[in-house]
Amino acid sequence: MIIAIDGPAASGKSTTAKKVAEKLNYTHLDTGAMYRAVTLFFLDNQTVLSDPNQIQHSVDLIRLKFLQDQTLIMNDIDVSAEIRTGKVTDYVSEVSALKQVREKMVHLQREIAKFQDVVVEGRDIGTHVFPKAKFKFFIIADVEKRAQRRFNEMKNKIGDINFKDVLLDLKERDKKDASRKISPLKKAKDAIVIDTTSLTIDEQVDKIIDIVNNKIHNRS
């Protein structure tokens, strides 16, 4: 069974997806980490994003796999920490919008989900990657609340940072994700909307699990 969780940046969908997977004993498929890994590879190898041949060459060289503890291995190297750096964050939306990148990542995601129960989050999971997912959720939150969450996260990691800059960056990220031509951020028609503005992570996790369990119980 597939549980798809979509939503904008800093809405809490990644942490929520991970905890939902843990409670249901499902595999957590972190698609955002996969796109970040591709972005890291492109940056390290100076891939020119306007050159389709270079993009395809780089994409063909990338091998990704998740270990049981969610460690992400790219070409035999643990990149779990490095993909969360600022330089990757600055370019991940642009790289994620590239057709060749999305085609390969979608293929890999579908292959992983073929033979196991998964909880997967992203921005086009319910609309494009897994349009027939059994459960679809779309997590939203007020942009200032999301910016505060991102600010707190980044402040703990890098120290000196300005909230207004984080807010502006997040608004720009939202604009890019929603307006890109390839698989834009969009709510699936049959997705259940969950507003996390006033919810804790545990509360939104419990809400999703309750919905899943109730529907499964009612169908049985």
Side-chain angles (χ1 to χ4, degrees), residues 41 45 55-63 74-75 104:
F41 186 90
N45 291 275
I55 293 169
Q56 190 61 56
H57 178 69
S58 291
V59 165
D60 290 341
L61 293 175
I62 295 173
R63 292 176 288 107
M74 179 170 67
N75 298 347
K104 175 157 185 176

Side-chain angles (χ1 to χ4, degrees), residues 146-201:
R146 291 190 284 123
Q148 187 64 55
R149 291 170 180 169
R150 180 58 56 84
F151 172 79
N152 291 340
E153 177 186 340
M154 296 177 70
K155 186 177 181 180
N156 289 334
K157 291 181 179 179
I158 62 177
D160 188 27
I161 190 171
N162 186 284
F163 174 76
K164 289 185 178 179
D165 289 340
V166 176
L167 179 60
L168 288 174
D169 286 345
L170 198 58
K171 287 181 177 180
E172 183 63 25
R173 177 76 180 274
D174 285 350
K175 184 179 179 180
K176 287 181 180 178
D177 287 343
S179 61
R180 67 190 185 200
K181 293 181 179 180
I182 306 297
S183 300
L185 169 65
K186 186 178 180 181
K187 184 185 82 67
K189 291 181 180 179
D190 54 346
I192 298 170
V193 176
I194 296 180
D195 189 335
T196 70
T197 303
S198 59
L199 297 179
T200 65
I201 288 294

Side-chain angles (χ1 to χ4, degrees), residues 41-43 45-58 94-95 98 100:
F41 186 90
F42 279 20
L43 289 170
N45 291 275
Q46 299 181 330
T47 302
V48 178
L49 301 187
S50 60
D51 186 334
N53 291 327
Q54 283 197 36
I55 293 169
Q56 190 61 56
H57 178 69
S58 291
E94 190 174 358
V95 172
L98 297 171
Q100 291 136 300

Side-chain angles (χ1 to χ4, degrees), residues 72-125:
L72 180 56
I73 305 298
M74 179 170 67
N75 298 347
D76 301 321
I77 298 174
D78 179 358
V79 294
S80 303
E82 198 171 358
I83 62 172
R84 302 298 175 183
T85 58
K87 70 173 184 178
V88 172
T89 299
D90 289 342
Y91 288 96
V92 66
S93 286
E94 190 174 358
V95 172
S96 298
L98 297 171
K99 182 179 180 181
Q100 291 136 300
V101 172
R102 299 204 71 81
E103 285 177 348
K104 175 157 185 176
M105 293 301 102
V106 169
H107 172 73
L108 289 176
Q109 291 154 18
R110 288 173 176 166
E111 286 298 306
I112 293 172
K114 268 185 180 180
F115 306 107
Q116 55 191 316
D117 294 323
V118 299
V119 179
V120 53
E121 91 286 341
R123 288 167 178 75
D124 64 345
I125 304 303

